[in-house]
Amino acid sequence: MSEKPEIRIDPFDGSSPLPAQSRLSALKESSSYHTTKDCRHPLGIYNISIVRICEKVSKCADRLELFWRNEPNNHADMDEIIDYLELSLYSAAEHTDDIKEIANSFFKNKEEARKNRNFRLLNEAIKPLRDEIANFTNTIKHNHGRIRIFQTTFVHDNQFTLKLLGFFIEGFKNGGVSPNPILHSNGKNIISITSFLWGILTFVALSSLELSKFLQGIKAIDESKEATNDHKIFYDTVVKLTRLPLYTFDEDHPFLQTRWNIIMNEEMHQESNSGIYGSIRNEWLKSGNGEFKDSQLLFSGDGITKSFHLIFPERMNTSHWE
């Protein structure tokens, strides 16, 4: 069995969880054709893409934290969660285009790129990472899919009560509104929002590793140059997600396939303590006793459709950090 890839967050050793960023800061002068093509420097493309993703994921995390602090019932707050979740999805989808543009900038034309073994290996490596995100965004854009919220109250071991949020992509089936029959097949009815946001950051970090391998493969790196590691915004986004409850519904958590090794300094340690049950500093009880109540699927009426197919999660798992 192959070993899990590891994403390391460590403010003490100076390494970056985004190795491509470091590599792109130490390119050979003649390695890229961006000047000839009158395009932005590859590092500039990468930095803008990372900032956009982190900003959207962070804002979604902020809205989620407000939900758990205030547990509002009004739809305005839910709408903001949906909006930033959708923007997070789109920014992640655009990141795959940015990676392709960066890779193409090291070749005179697309035909030359397609013939290059390292270019093909990069595309093959990131394809499974991008496919799920692409499926969601394509459904939203082209098939009238809309993000809808699932909400339930979880009572854990008769000691803690916490509302949990998931989402599904709305579709149409058998004459009525339902979760999209393609995206939510095989029992994958409801997806945890926090789990999905971790999946986006996992996708970003693993894609960075593959892009770094590509840059090494085409020998684009000037090893005599000192690489820079400007990863603070990524660290800050990770810390924001650690402040939120860690759980799944019908999906597998990204931590099952990828190991996150998060080492915190004192500032990060303090910042990660939200006081919210289920977060990194306020972990779940190690008890399987729990019950759900007041579960809701938050469909939105269209003024004409009268049939709504209701489904609920088939499972829910609390996730622990160790």
Side-chain angles (χ1 to χ4, degrees), residues 33-39 101 103-110:
Y33 290 92
H34 68 277
T35 302
T36 305
K37 295 180 176 181
D38 195 24
C39 297
E101 183 178 353
N104 273 311
S105 72
F106 292 94
F107 302 96
K108 292 179 182 179
N109 52 59
K110 291 184 178 180

Side-chain angles (χ1 to χ4, degrees), residues 35 58 67 81 86 159 174 179 191 269 277 319 321:
T35 302
S58 289
F67 168 83
I81 291 172
E86 187 168 322
Q159 297 184 54
N174 297 330
I191 300 168
H269 192 276
Y277 183 53
S319 302
W321 282 96

Side-chain angles (χ1 to χ4, degrees), residues 57 60 64 85-86 88-90 92 132-137 140 147 165-167 169 188 191-203 241 246-249 251-254:
V57 171
C60 190
L64 288 166
L85 178 58
E86 187 168 322
S88 297
L89 269 168
Y90 281 128
E132 182 175 20
I133 290 172
N135 287 339
F136 278 101
T137 54
I140 291 170
I147 295 175
L165 292 181
F167 77 97
I169 306 297
K188 198 173 182 179
I191 300 168
S192 158
I193 298 179
T194 60
S195 169
F196 199 79
L197 294 179
W198 275 112
I200 290 175
L201 292 193
T202 301
F203 158 73
L241 289 191
L246 196 66
Y247 62 94
T248 61
F249 284 117
E251 80 284 7
D252 291 328
H253 201 283

